[in-house]
Amino acid sequence: MTRRIAFEGIENFRDFGDYAAGERRLRRGLLYRSAHHAKASDADLDALAGLDLAVIVDLRRTNERERDPCRRWDGFGAEVIENDIGQEGADEWHTFLAGSDLSEASFRSYMLAYYDAAPTAPRHLDLYSRYFRALAATDGPVLVHCAAGKDRTGILCALTHHVAGVHDDDIVADYLLTNDAARIASRTPMVGDMILEQTGRRPSDAAVQVAIGVEADYLTRALEAMRQAYGSVDGYLDGALGLDAKLREQIHDRLLA
């Protein structure tokens, strides 16, 4: 199947259902992921409305939502899950850029450190736990997004696949679909310009591509952080997110054909 869904002003939009999950299979048309919707065209809004979304999970920080508010369609009625937890500190990305040499190695080190910390960040624990509860209780499709739809979104989608019983190879393969060549090529000069504007320095294209892509090692680091803190990924889901056997059964009933 073609997982990517083309939009005029929304990047990295795709269906992350329709994977084998043991002897069953994730349904298609219930699980979507993307970047933010601030630049959605009117045609994009019509297409989003046609998906009949029941829940949108916006994983962005407050400053990100204020800078790029998502556009909504007429008659919008989906539940939106977001929070303002942990907003008192500086934006870690901009802090990193200010002190970085903007090399490929520095961007990769930043990403690995980010994935080490992301699973247990209080704001993510709140958002992820609320997402799973909504996933268990909601009949309609769910959309997960952050700014670029790759890191925060990638972790949560991988956890969804794990809960459903998707094979680890498919979990990683779905995560790596963010590395779409056309997307990377179109974003590289734009992100380079943004970093130049913020720092007065322009990173190499190769360094920018590390920043805007994903690597399997990133997801591995996040899963290992869960194991270190809770003994296993399932221990994290139960102990950190409250995903008990009853919620898992409800999610299975809703998502698996």
Side-chain angles (χ1 to χ4, degrees):
M1 66 172 281
T2 300
R3 297 192 173 279
R4 296 186 180 92
I5 303 172
F7 283 84
E8 294 174 351
I10 306 174
E11 294 188 354
N12 209 12
F13 200 110
R14 56 192 200 259
D15 187 323
F16 68 101
D18 199 26
Y19 281 102
E23 298 181 355
R24 302 175 72 182
R25 193 170 191 89
L26 278 173
R27 293 188 173 96
R28 189 174 182 178
L30 285 180
L31 296 169
Y32 296 103
R33 56 179 292 174
S34 74
H36 69 72
H37 306 163
K39 297 179 181 179
S41 67
D42 289 345
D44 291 342
L45 295 181
D46 288 341
L48 286 172
L51 295 178
D52 198 24
L53 298 171
V55 178
I56 295 178
V57 184
D58 188 340
L59 300 172
R60 296 178 298 166
R61 295 167 59 96
T62 308
N63 63 321
E64 295 173 293
R65 301 197 310 269
E66 291 174 345
R67 182 177 64 239
D68 293 309
C70 285
R71 296 193 66 201
R72 305 299 190 196
W73 52 94
D74 290 342
F76 178 83
E79 175 189 359
V80 178
I81 295 175
E82 60 189 21
N83 73 27
D84 299 317
I85 295 171
Q87 304 302 298
E88 63 278 1
D91 185 310
E92 59 263 30
W93 171 248
H94 292 93
T95 300
F96 158 74
L97 288 178
S100 170
D101 65 3
L102 304 183
S103 65
E104 292 177 58
S106 69
F107 281 110
R108 185 168 287 108
S109 294
Y110 171 83
M111 294 308 305
L112 289 169
Y114 181 85
Y115 276 79
D116 285 341
T120 53
R123 64 181 309 272
H124 295 157
L125 293 175
D126 172 73
L127 290 165
Y128 288 5
S129 63
R130 290 164 61 199
Y131 158 78
F132 278 114
R133 282 164 175 71
L135 196 59
T138 305
D139 289 332
V142 175
L143 168 66
V144 179
H145 78 87
C146 51
K150 70 185 191 76
D151 301 313
R152 292 164 286 192
T153 296
I155 293 171
L156 187 52
C157 293
L159 288 173
T160 306
H161 282 156
H162 177 85
V163 169
V166 174
H167 192 279
D168 288 349
D169 290 347
D170 286 332
I171 293 175
V172 173
D174 184 84
Y175 171 77
L176 292 175
L177 286 176
T178 282
N179 294 335
D180 174 67
R183 172 186 171 273
I184 296 293
S186 68
R187 284 188 59 79
T188 296
M190 179 183 68
V191 174
D193 288 344
M194 290 171 57
I195 294 174
L196 174 63
E197 181 179 350
Q198 293 168 18
T199 67
R201 297 169 291 139
R202 177 182 286 279
S204 68
D205 285 354
V208 171
Q209 288 162 9
V210 172
I212 63 180
V214 293
E215 299 179 11
D217 284 349
Y218 299 167
L219 185 58
T220 297
R221 289 286 282 262
L223 297 174
E224 182 58 27
M226 298 173 199
R227 295 186 186 101
Q228 288 292 325
Y230 291 90
S232 66
V233 175
D234 288 311
Y236 168 82
L237 287 163
D238 186 6
L241 304 184
L243 194 59
D244 59 19
K246 181 179 179 180
L247 276 174
R248 283 174 178 261
E249 183 179 356
Q250 291 171 335
I251 290 170
H252 288 177
D253 288 345
R254 204 169 89 72
L255 297 184
L256 295 176

